[in-house]
Amino acid sequence: MSTYDDVEETGMSERTVLLDFPGADQLVAAGRVEPPSAHALARALAGVEAAVAAQEAAGRKKGVVVTGRRRVLVGLFTAAAVAAGVVTYANTGDTPTSSGPGTRSEARADTASVFLDDISTVAAGQSVTSGKYWKTQLTVGDSYLSQSMDLYVVNGGKAYKKGRQPDWQLGPKDLDWQSLDQLTTDPAKLLQLLQTPPRPKSISPFDQAVTLLGGSPASPQLRAGLFKALAGLKGVKLVGTVKDSTGRGGIALEFAEARSVGRVIVDPKTSSILEYTFTWTAGASKGKVTRQTFLSVGFTDRIG
């Protein structure tokens, strides 16, 4: 029986048939998982074979064609794919939709929470390192931040001091390098700080978290807490798998405000911020885009 026969008998479209198995919705939001042991994968594949054989045997016994066989096969094969770690976070699209109960917008928010929860675990597992300077390599050049918040840039092989970098914002707090080590890493408390009513000229809570994640020497535990805090921030949407301006693949998240949209691309393997773009969607600056592409960040003991 062809796949079209399946569709003809059930009245379902080809896409509906493919996704018509228990757990399909969870699978779309499941994301990438770590590869299993050979034993785990063998068990998953054995389950596929056993289920198909059982379906065929039942059909022969009753003298009927088992039209559901393909449904079981797809469902269990997909489960095996999840076990093998080959499923990635779904690309849910860029276009905002309505936000009523049960809508696609709500599903996207749930998927963003799943991804952010997963990436916080990746962040927490990174090695703890240290150094005299925090080096940020962008596409426009390299900069070095000292523990006293003095900023240096390298131009033509020479280092130049540009003055003191402004403190990082986090809700009501202004943080310097030393403050980062004293800051809570509890996601609920970080979310509470992010949700504090904004001060004059403060950046959005999404921008505050992303700036700390991409441009500060935050510890692995603090970065993990910030990712989880973002998961609780209303309005954060999962875009899905994209490429940054240098061609590197990552997972994109967006946060839309009344006059702008912020987008961050995260490397799902390391939790590193690959790129951040800020786009004005209204007003005199409508269409203007500011982009930061992070080639690398990390500690160093010398400039240059």
Side-chain angles (χ1 to χ4, degrees), residues 51-77:
V52 172
Q55 287 281 320
E56 289 177 338
R60 287 194 298 270
K61 185 176 180 180
K62 295 179 181 179
V64 297
V65 177
V66 183
T67 58
R69 183 173 75 88
R70 184 167 174 270
R71 177 175 180 268
V72 173
L73 175 60
V74 172
L76 288 176
F77 182 76

Side-chain angles (χ1 to χ4, degrees), residues 35-185:
S37 64
H39 177 65
L41 181 56
R43 286 182 59 191
L45 294 175
V48 173
E49 294 172 356
V52 172
Q55 287 281 320
E56 289 177 338
R60 287 194 298 270
K61 185 176 180 180
K62 295 179 181 179
V64 297
V65 177
V66 183
T67 58
R69 183 173 75 88
R70 184 167 174 270
R71 177 175 180 268
V72 173
L73 175 60
V74 172
L76 288 176
F77 182 76
T78 310
V82 171
V86 298
V87 179
T88 58
Y89 290 91
N91 190 319
T92 52
D94 298 342
T95 306
T97 57
S98 62
S99 55
T103 64
R104 182 180 174 206
S105 178
E106 185 179 81
R108 287 177 65 192
D110 290 343
T111 308
S113 296
V114 170
F115 171 71
L116 286 164
D117 189 62
D118 289 348
I119 206 67
S120 71
T121 302
V122 176
Q126 299 303 299
S127 301
V128 177
T129 56
S130 62
K132 293 181 180 180
Y133 302 96
W134 179 253
K135 179 182 178 180
T136 302
Q137 185 181 19
L138 303 174
T139 50
V140 295
D142 300 349
S143 66
Y144 297 80
L145 182 66
S146 74
Q147 296 187 24
S148 59
M149 299 294 284
D150 290 323
L151 185 65
Y152 301 83
V153 296
V154 175
N155 189 3
K158 292 188 63 176
Y160 298 88
K161 184 177 179 180
K162 290 197 68 176
R164 192 179 189 279
Q165 174 176 294
D167 294 343
W168 296 286
Q169 293 182 18
L170 187 66
K173 294 179 176 289
D174 291 319
L175 306 169
D176 60 14
W177 183 309
Q178 303 304 323
S179 302
L180 292 177
D181 293 332
Q182 301 165 9
L183 186 65
T184 180
T185 60

